[in-house]
Amino acid sequence: MKIGNFVPAQNGDHFEGKIVTRTQRFPHLIMRRPAQVLSDQAAAFEIFETNNYGEEVQVGALWERRRKVNNELFYAGMIDDPSFSEALPIALFGDEREGFAAQWRREREPFDGDGFRSGGNPQPTRGGSGGFGRRDTRGGFSGGSTAGPGGEYVGGNRQELDDTVPF
């Protein structure tokens, strides 16, 4: 589900964007590459928002990922802050020239052999770190929908959705 976008700033040194859900609104986000990269596992982008005091506060980070189906580059991570009840997982699809669409999807526990969620619960579970189910510790998404961990379509009737539905 698309929940926002990021476009290149006029000066070209960062991206400006917004993310809006039914209960959360981030109308003035700034996304840029980290000033210092201290590790090969560092985030590709950091996301900032200005707080009520006019200070820039980091509220997110994104790591580079590749779709298994076609090796397409995308970025996955979280929008989070100590004031939130839970983190907001996001993935960005697009490019640095045209900008990025911000996508979201609910994470769910995997099904067991009987078709139920882990523990026999037929409903999506929301446990673990940050109020979400099982999480990929590298910043990516984990199963439970029509998208696999690499963003590929894994649902029933394929109908060329892999080319039109990003994850």
Side-chain angles (χ1 to χ4, degrees):
M1 169 186 322
K2 183 177 178 184
I3 60 171
N5 63 347
F6 287 85
V7 296
Q10 286 195 339
N11 66 9
D13 71 344
H14 67 278
F15 295 85
E16 297 171 349
K18 74 176 186 176
I19 291 177
V20 179
T21 71
R22 191 177 69 74
T23 60
Q24 294 180 310
R25 185 169 188 262
F26 305 97
H28 304 291
L29 294 171
I30 298 167
M31 181 176 82
R32 62 176 165 253
R33 299 240 179 233
Q36 290 185 331
V37 177
L38 303 175
S39 162
D40 61 345
Q41 295 184 16
F45 288 102
E46 297 172 328
I47 301 174
F48 297 86
E49 183 178 43
T50 304
N51 68 14
N52 293 338
Y53 304 102
E55 302 164 318
E56 231 179 58
V57 177
Q58 185 175 350
V59 294
L62 300 165
W63 285 264
E64 186 175 296
R65 300 285 179 252
R66 295 231 174 239
R67 292 180 62 195
K68 289 182 182 176
V69 172
N70 62 6
N71 207 33
E72 176 187 7
L73 175 69
F74 71 99
Y75 298 93
M78 300 281 172
I79 300 291
D80 201 0
D81 184 79
S83 66
F84 300 167
S85 61
E86 58 186 43
L88 178 66
I90 63 170
L92 299 185
F93 296 89
D95 61 52
E96 293 190 44
R97 189 172 44 88
E98 298 292 322
F100 300 93
Q103 303 280 333
W104 169 87
R105 77 160 191 218
R106 182 171 314 283
E107 294 187 32
R108 297 184 177 135
E109 292 291 329
F111 286 99
D112 64 17
D114 296 322
F116 290 97
R117 302 260 179 233
S118 296
N121 181 0
Q123 300 298 319
T125 60
R126 297 182 60 84
S129 174
F132 290 94
R134 188 174 54 87
R135 172 158 323 286
D136 180 335
T137 58
R138 298 169 312 212
F141 295 110
S142 60
S145 77
T146 58
E152 71 278 7
Y153 180 73
V154 295
N157 189 357
R158 192 151 184 101
Q159 297 180 351
E160 301 302 320
L161 287 177
D162 192 54
D163 294 332
T164 59
V165 178
F167 73 98

